[in-house]
């Protein structure tokens, strides 16, 4: 319980307790320990009584309603029958999500600006066009690589 406290912090807590409670500190500690013992006994008795009434052995973790139903009321066959429709639905959803993910990846890779784009402008700028300077390939051939500086 106090594993993350070092010696100085424990000493400060004890000094504060001594200041607040004074001479009554031993009685307060004894009352606290007695209360913890009573709580543990009450919890042990409650689980024992519940085990006797239900005819099964239960622990405190079994008192969670979901765990209790799964462990004590449903048989394995009934639990498997309840899970079958949900497992089919889960598999369908997983397949759909996987398909959507694959589509997104393929769309993202086709739109990736880092991959070179093959366009008709690159053929015009490198080739035999000797026009009047008003063509798209003029000006140093910068049109095909207009997105190269964006990275």
């Amino acid at each position: 319980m106090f594993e993350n406290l070092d010696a100085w912090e424990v000493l400060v807590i004890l000094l504060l307790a001594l200041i607040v409670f004074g001479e009554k500190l031993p009685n307060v500690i004894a009352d606290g320990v007695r209360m913890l013992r009573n709580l543990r006994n009450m919890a042990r008795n409650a689980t024992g009584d519940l085990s006797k009434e239900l005819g099964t052995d239960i622990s405190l973790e079994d008192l969670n309603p979901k765990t209790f139903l799964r462990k004590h009321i449903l048989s394995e066959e009934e639990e498997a029958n309840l899970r079958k429709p949900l497992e089919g639905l889960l598999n369908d959803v997983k397949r759909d999500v996987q398909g959507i993910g694959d589509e997104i990846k393929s769309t993202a890779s086709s739109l990736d600006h880092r991959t070179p784009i093959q366009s008709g402008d690159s053929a015009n700028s490198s080739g035999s066009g000797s026009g009047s300077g008003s063509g798209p390939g003029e000006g140093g051939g910068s049109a095909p690589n207009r997105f190269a500086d964006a990275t």
Side-chain angles (χ1 to χ4, degrees):
M1 185 170 138
F2 298 109
E3 60 266 353
N4 57 353
L5 295 177
D6 60 2
W8 290 105
E9 292 171 340
V10 172
L11 183 64
V12 168
I13 291 172
L14 288 175
L15 285 175
L16 284 174
L18 186 60
I19 291 171
V20 171
F21 294 110
E23 295 176 5
K24 299 177 187 178
L25 183 62
N27 293 337
V28 170
I29 291 174
D31 289 342
V33 170
R34 192 176 309 115
M35 183 183 70
L36 284 175
R37 248 187 242 133
N38 287 337
L39 284 173
R40 284 185 191 152
N41 286 335
M42 286 178 10
R44 204 173 296 127
N45 289 338
T47 54
D49 292 343
L50 195 58
S51 294
K52 287 177 190 175
E53 292 292 325
L54 295 173
T56 60
D57 185 37
I58 26 177
S59 63
L60 288 176
E61 293 82 24
D62 294 339
L63 296 179
N64 183 343
K66 290 180 183 178
T67 307
F68 183 80
L69 286 174
R70 188 178 313 123
K71 187 174 179 182
H72 297 287
I73 294 178
L74 294 176
S75 67
E76 291 181 17
E77 296 88 23
E78 291 171 335
E79 185 176 353
N81 289 337
L82 287 174
R83 288 182 183 227
K84 279 182 187 177
L86 297 176
E87 287 176 353
L89 181 65
L90 178 67
N91 290 335
D92 291 343
V93 170
K94 281 182 180 179
R95 248 180 292 148
D96 291 344
V97 169
Q98 183 68 32
I100 291 170
D102 292 342
E103 287 180 26
I104 289 173
K105 285 179 185 177
S106 67
T107 303
S109 66
S110 68
L111 294 176
D112 191 7
H113 66 276
R114 291 174 285 185
T115 57
I117 299 174
Q118 300 296 328
S119 64
D121 290 343
S122 64
N124 289 339
S125 66
S126 66
S128 59
S130 59
S132 63
S134 63
E138 296 292 323
S142 63
N145 295 327
R146 64 182 175 263
F147 296 113
D149 295 334
T151 59

